[in-house]
Amino acid sequence: MMYRLIGEAAMVVHFLFLAFMAVGGFLAWRWKWLIWPHLAVAAWGIVSVVTGIECPLTVVENWGRHHAGLAGLRPGGFIDTYIEGVIYPEEHTNLVRLGVVILVLTSWTGFVLRRR
């Protein structure tokens, strides 16, 4: 039971992490200190997409699921298991990534303009 809880908690944190990556810059308009964690999260997002490095949250979720006797995530990890082909069709991956980049850049532009 505890292992399953660890795996499910990692999944929830992963979803929150992705949500923060998409809209954290807008939250920084209200709470300025959030820009720094958002920059780090966005940098991790870029590095993980470009290099294909496995996210530590994926490792934790797979570990918890394995020890709970459940199947692990698909070979592509969290995104391939819960996002691509579920929330949007896989053939739109690059369009979705572009949308997230535009969303993040818009939030950063707004942050800079609001600081003036």
Side-chain angles (χ1 to χ4, degrees):
M1 177 70 170
M2 181 58 80
Y3 290 116
R4 182 177 180 158
L5 185 60
I6 290 169
E8 302 231 349
M11 176 190 61
V12 169
V13 171
H14 223 147
F15 272 114
L16 293 172
F17 187 88
L18 289 176
F20 183 69
M21 183 171 51
V23 300
F26 294 107
L27 295 173
W29 290 12
R30 172 74 171 96
W31 298 285
K32 291 176 181 42
W33 63 270
L34 280 177
I35 197 65
W36 300 112
H38 188 257
L39 287 168
V41 166
W44 172 257
I46 292 168
V47 167
S48 67
V49 166
V50 170
T51 66
I53 191 169
E54 189 172 37
C55 179
L57 289 169
T58 299
V59 174
V60 170
E61 182 175 356
N62 271 331
W63 179 84
R65 293 175 64 83
H66 171 74
H67 282 83
L70 303 171
L73 301 177
R74 290 188 203 165
F78 180 85
I79 298 291
D80 285 356
T81 302
Y82 299 113
I83 308 290
E84 288 180 0
V86 177
I87 295 178
Y88 60 84
E90 289 182 42
E91 60 267 14
H92 297 299
T93 297
N94 289 332
L95 184 60
V96 170
R97 287 179 180 169
L98 177 62
V100 171
V101 167
I102 290 170
L103 192 64
V104 169
L105 292 176
T106 300
S107 72
W108 290 350
T109 301
F111 176 81
V112 169
L113 293 175
R114 290 177 60 92
R115 294 267 324 210
R116 292 184 179 177

